[in-house]
Amino acid sequence: MVDLFKPVQYLKGVGPQRAKQLAGMGIHTLWDLLYHFPRNYQDRSDIRPIHTYAHGDLATVKGVVTASQETKPRRGLCITKLVLQESGSTFYAVWFNQPYIRKQYLPGQKLLVTGKVDRGFGVPQVHVTDHELLSGDERLHTGRIVPVYPLAESISQRFLRSLIKNVLDQTGSLIPEFLPDRMLDRHRLPCLPEALQEIHFPSDNEACSRAHKRFVLEELFLFQMGMLLQKSKNIKKAKKHQYLPESLTDLLLNSLPFRLTPAQQRVWQEIAHDLAGPYPMNRLLQGDVGAGKTVVAALALCKAAGSGLQSALMAPTELLAEQHAKSITELLAPLGVRVALLTGSARRGRQQLLADIAGGEVQVVIGTHALIQDRIQFSNLALVVVDEQHRFGVRQRAALQEKGITPDVLVMTATPIPRTLALTLYGDLDVSVLDQLPPGRQDIKTYHLPLAQAGKAVGLIKQQVDQGRQAYVVCPLVEESEKIDTQAAIALYERLKKALAHYSVGLLHGRMKWQEKENIMNGFRRGDISVLVSTTVIEVGVDVPNATVMVVWDAQRFGLAQLHQLRGRVGRGSYQSYCILVGDPGTPEARERLSAMCRTQDGFALAEEDLKLRGPGEFFGTRQSGLPDFKIADLVRDGRETELARREAEQLLQEDPLLRQPEHKLLIEHFARRFPDFIKYSDVS
Ligand code: ADP
Ligand code: MG
């Protein structure tokens, strides 16, 4: 058996210098090297006589060296030509600035070269990119399907190719399999030595794609194993706190101005069941914009307060935290629960507030990521709710969790993501879905207007405000700089104030002081302000049911997920609502986004569309640090494989929950190397 985890430095041809360069590419061990997969391939297997190639073709040709020549037409340029002959025809193989070629290949030797054909000067030339001696029957650099690797500058394709080839030749057949045999059989996957051979040096396309499939499944399988181990670890540690069978939540339910929808009832049951259980809850609540997640969260917070336990709710923006504090105070304060808001900018009374939280006098703390600062201590934090979870990184979620002893965790998101993606991102959580909107909601009529017709949007705003409704006008983040965006918002505000002379128009942007923002937002909530011109600070969560118009300025600049969130600010009451997308899309993709918005209100459909248009990295934004960095699997493309991998991992862990059986020793070793983060959290070692 070979030890795949020994350093590459011990390989022949790898000295300290090379080892350093390889390390720069993340290659430290044999395993790293063999799992450094090609970026793509070049098919050089079709060896044909030179006369069959046209000018400009990429050719693979063989020939016998008959003569060589070196010219130096100017300083710094050395051209080496070998005259090659093949069944009667002659051509030149040409190298630039590689004088050693003349010593490497001598007359009489048979060569194989790959390169671009130049027929400009009589005798055809091949500008060589790869070459080797045609001896024996094993090809490496040409005359076969050749791997093309992702590289750092100091390392060449040829070097890496040879290095990997040598390792495979010497150790390939001795590399032990670590995946369960059954899994390989079931999906007809090649075993590890064969798969490694075929992914680096494919014998044909089909074998290559089977090898590829194996490594995709392998990676996803190890990842899902990690997710499931993490999940079971959560289940295993019993929680220290207990919820009482109290009646405060019933009081809250009775005081609501509406009845819960069946979906809300079901989800609340799921949460209540988790809270009552002996192990900490770890649940994701997914629900489209406006589905009514907040009240479900409020029920959970209420349950904790009724049991004499503390809870915290974290929101991604101050505006949203403040709004939650307001609406949850309205719900819970009459029941005798003390709710407090904690953000970065609220300074007054902060010391006292921190003392009250530490002393347990405040039962529900609502805030931004300020909640996870070191100084904030709770007395008995039992429940953590994270709103708009996709706005936070995994680490922030964990940091809040660490404020309590084995707290229950509920994360909420309005970014509807396809199931297979949810398995990858939230595979360690239980999932609840609010798949039903509160009754009485009407479709939000959505239109696209070119800039030249923006006046129509102003007309609609007037008409709606005249009927007692309110409107948002949002302008996008144009630049990275908040200052410039603010100027854009101010300019638009000035223009609209003129166009809407007899109406009350307010302005909101990220650079305003906290108190100013609060005043404006309160004015809008009370209805004193009819039209709110804003940057995207209102994007998530803001809830003013009387608002019926959302005008998005330069809408082509937004992503689909964002547009959907913005549209979700209206249509929250029973009034007919409108979303007007103003702008001149310059690319087909932008046009497609706007037309998708006009076509559908279904968050899932839009999310799938968005994923296709932008890919997962963009889709989740840079703030989503929870994306696993897969070497070979693709979050979007490999949905089916994700499902398969999940099932395989589930079955394995059912049979051997902690992977303690001796035949799983190697599996754990690979798992630990591939996803070391999971090991920190799991009981497997
Ligand atoms: P989101 O899921 O986007 O966070 P919210 O919790 O802000 O949605 O709820 C959207 C609006 O729907 C709020 O005004 C809320 O009061 C209202 N709402 C929530 N549940 C119901 C219900 N069962 N019946 C009627 N209105 C509801
Ligand atoms: Mg919300």
Side-chain angles (χ1 to χ4, degrees):
M1 286 215 310
V2 212
D3 178 11
L4 280 184
F5 302 112
K6 82 182 173 200
V8 275
Q9 176 142 14
Y10 298 109
L11 289 176
K12 226 177 105 208
V14 181
Q17 180 71 15
R18 283 296 194 195
K20 219 163 131 196
Q21 291 166 345
L22 287 168
M25 293 165 56
I27 299 176
H28 306 277
T29 64
L30 275 191
W31 182 84
D32 294 331
L33 181 69
L34 293 179
Y35 274 70
H36 189 76
F37 297 131
R39 156 161 63 79
N40 53 31
Y41 301 88
Q42 216 173 59
D43 190 347
R44 303 174 179 171
S45 55
D46 188 18
I47 308 171
R48 286 178 4 219
I50 186 72
H51 67 81
T52 62
Y53 292 105
H55 180 79
D57 279 355
L58 187 70
T60 297
V61 209
K62 61 180 190 230
V64 179
V65 183
T66 55
S68 68
Q69 179 196 51
E70 184 177 279
T71 48
K72 291 184 172 162
R74 58 182 159 80
R75 266 187 74 187
L77 179 61
C78 166
I79 301 177
T80 306
K81 273 186 194 169
L82 297 187
V83 182
L84 294 185
Q85 248 175 19
E86 187 217 358
S87 47
S89 50
T90 300
F91 65 96
Y92 296 147
V94 184
W95 284 262
F96 299 97
N97 289 337
Q98 295 177 55
Y100 53 85
I101 289 289
R102 265 180 100 195
K103 299 201 186 78
Q104 190 174 342
Y105 298 129
L106 303 171
Q109 283 184 320
K110 226 173 181 186
L111 290 194
L112 199 50
V113 297
T114 289
K116 220 173 185 174
V117 176
D118 181 348
R119 289 191 171 278
F121 305 94
V123 178
Q125 306 196 352
V126 176
H127 294 182
V128 179
T129 47
D130 251 314
H131 50 94
E132 65 193 330
L133 271 184
L134 186 62
S135 60
D137 51 12
E138 264 224 298
R139 307 275 77 83
L140 176 54
H141 301 298
T142 182
R144 60 165 308 124
I145 301 174
V146 174
V148 181
Y149 295 102
L151 285 183
E153 238 164 71
S154 45
I155 300 265
S156 73
Q157 293 288 354
R158 287 177 71 87
F159 171 77
L160 199 60
R161 224 179 269 147
S162 309
L163 191 62
I164 291 176
K165 181 76 161 67
N166 283 343
V167 172
L168 282 176
D169 283 352
Q170 282 161 29
T171 60
S173 59
L174 303 173
I175 294 171
E177 181 59 74
F178 64 93
L179 288 179
D181 288 342
R182 263 182 334 201
M183 176 173 165
L184 298 181
D185 292 346
R186 217 170 356 238
H187 307 291
R188 285 194 210 92
L189 303 173
C191 65
L192 185 54
E194 185 190 336
L196 283 170
Q197 179 66 39
E198 290 293 342
I199 198 140
H200 289 290
F201 302 103
S203 43
D204 56 47
N205 287 335
E206 138 113 56
C208 182
S209 64
R210 283 197 317 136
H212 186 267
K213 180 173 171 197
R214 178 212 148 103
F215 289 112
V216 167
L217 265 176
E218 172 186 316
E219 185 165 52
L220 292 170
F221 171 73
L222 293 177
F223 184 79
Q224 288 299 337
M225 225 173 75
M227 282 294 198
L228 290 169
L229 284 169
Q230 190 154 320
K231 195 169 165 187
S232 67
K233 183 244 171 186
N234 284 328
I235 293 169
K236 275 181 52 216
K237 216 188 259 168
K239 56 192 177 193
K240 302 276 192 296
H241 55 274
Q242 246 193 356
Y243 298 81
L244 307 174
E246 42 74 45
S247 51
L248 210 59
T249 43
D250 292 333
L251 284 179
L252 174 57
L253 279 170
N254 289 332
S255 72
L256 290 176
F258 48 72
R259 287 170 56 92
L260 294 187
T261 63
Q264 283 169 319
Q265 277 170 24
R266 187 191 67 232
V267 169
W268 168 234
Q269 286 311 316
E270 288 166 356
I271 293 171
H273 182 262
D274 283 358
L275 294 181
Y279 305 112
M281 166 168 75
N282 225 336
R283 186 169 286 278
L284 170 73
L285 170 52
Q286 270 198 23
D288 206 348
V289 188
K293 294 182 287 296
T294 314
V295 69
V296 175
L299 282 163
L301 301 173
C302 180
K303 180 84 193 166
S307 308
L309 301 167
Q310 283 182 307
S311 56
L313 181 133
M314 181 161 75
T317 64
E318 287 197 351
L319 216 60
L320 185 51
E322 194 202 307
Q323 175 185 281
H324 277 325
K326 197 162 277 168
S327 57
I328 286 168
T329 306
E330 261 164 42
L331 293 173
L332 298 188
L335 307 176
V337 178
R338 186 164 160 208
V339 181
L341 173 68
L342 190 84
T343 63
S345 44
R347 296 259 164 253
R348 220 178 322 130
R350 191 182 178 83
Q351 285 315 315
Q352 185 57 48
L353 182 56
L354 291 185
D356 288 353
I357 293 171
E361 279 112 77
V362 172
Q363 286 129 323
V364 179
V365 186
I366 295 175
T368 54
H369 51 270
L371 280 180
I372 57 182
Q373 282 166 7
D374 286 342
R375 270 167 300 145
I376 295 157
Q377 285 188 354
F378 290 83
S379 143
N380 60 352
L381 180 63
L383 167 69
V384 164
V385 181
V386 181
D387 193 17
E388 307 291 349
Q389 127 85 25
H390 59 284
R391 291 297 198 100
F392 292 103
V394 175
R395 248 163 265 121
Q396 285 166 306
R397 191 203 327 162
L400 183 55
Q401 208 163 340
E402 275 159 24
K403 297 269 175 191
I405 307 163
T406 60
D408 292 292
V409 177
L410 176 68
V411 302
M412 309 199 290
T413 181
T415 303
I417 52 175
R419 183 187 131 75
T420 54
L421 210 51
L423 275 182
T424 305
L425 285 176
Y426 306 119
D428 58 333
L429 308 177
D430 296 306
V431 179
S432 292
V433 184
L434 272 186
D435 48 8
Q436 192 174 32
L437 294 180
R441 297 284 170 78
Q442 302 185 23
D443 272 2
I444 301 164
K445 293 194 170 152
T446 305
Y447 306 99
H448 167 228
L449 283 182
L451 258 181
Q453 293 177 36
K456 286 191 188 164
V458 177
L460 177 69
I461 292 175
K462 285 182 179 163
Q463 183 220 334
Q464 286 292 301
V465 173
D466 288 343
Q467 290 174 27
R469 304 286 82 78
Q470 290 166 280
Y472 299 96
V473 180
V474 170
C475 44
L477 290 167
V478 185
E479 312 275 335
E480 280 307 304
S481 139
E482 209 175 49
K483 191 170 160 198
I484 294 172
D485 290 330
T486 305
Q487 286 165 357
I490 293 173
L492 184 59
Y493 167 68
E494 296 297 342
R495 278 171 60 195
L496 283 170
K497 238 176 35 178
K498 283 198 196 98
L500 294 162
H502 303 292
Y503 298 83
S504 100
V505 183
L507 172 67
L508 188 72
H509 58 73
R511 279 164 69 88
M512 287 167 128
K513 291 233 169 55
W514 182 66
Q515 193 59 50
E516 285 177 274
K517 276 194 238 174
E518 163 137 318
N519 289 344
I520 295 285
M521 227 25 243
N522 282 337
F524 191 66
R525 268 189 211 113
R526 278 197 309 268
D528 298 346
I529 294 172
S530 302
V531 182
L532 185 62
V533 180
S534 168
T535 56
T536 48
V537 290
I538 59 139
E539 180 185 337
V540 287
V542 167
D543 181 37
V544 179
N546 191 47
T548 55
V549 184
M550 166 58 70
V551 178
V552 183
W553 216 264
D554 281 336
Q556 76 281 359
R557 292 184 192 273
F558 289 99
L560 263 180
Q562 240 181 333
L563 288 174
H564 182 61
Q565 283 281 345
L566 285 168
R567 176 166 60 185
R569 296 311 110 218
V570 298
R572 308 198 129 229
S574 50
Y575 307 112
Q576 174 62 56
S577 295
Y578 306 86
C579 175
I580 312 293
L581 307 167
V582 178
D584 300 327
T587 64
E589 196 201 305
R591 236 187 321 275
E592 181 45 41
R593 281 199 302 269
L594 298 191
S595 85
M597 282 292 292
C598 297
R599 224 170 29 234
T600 178
Q601 319 243 337
D602 177 349
F604 272 94
L606 286 172
E608 299 226 21
E609 184 92 8
D610 204 17
L611 260 172
K612 263 185 247 141
L613 286 173
R614 291 197 297 164
E618 283 286 304
F619 176 76
F620 291 105
T622 43
R623 263 178 284 195
Q624 176 71 33
S625 45
L627 286 178
D629 81 281
F630 287 143
K631 271 178 192 296
I632 188 164
D634 181 302
L635 276 174
V636 180
R637 183 196 61 201
D638 298 324
R640 210 180 76 87
E641 284 71 16
T642 303
E643 298 262 14
L644 294 181
R646 176 76 168 196
R647 246 177 279 150
E648 290 293 340
E650 273 166 359
Q651 187 178 349
L652 179 76
L653 289 173
Q654 236 159 39
E655 288 160 14
D656 185 8
L658 290 173
L659 301 178
R660 292 266 158 83
Q661 289 166 16
E663 74 259 34
H664 294 145
K665 204 163 158 285
L666 258 183
L667 175 61
I668 291 188
E669 200 168 331
H670 276 263
F671 168 61
R673 296 284 174 163
R674 183 61 195 85
F675 295 108
D677 278 354
F678 279 126
I679 286 295
K680 280 192 286 205
Y681 299 111
S682 79
D683 293 320
V684 172
S685 51

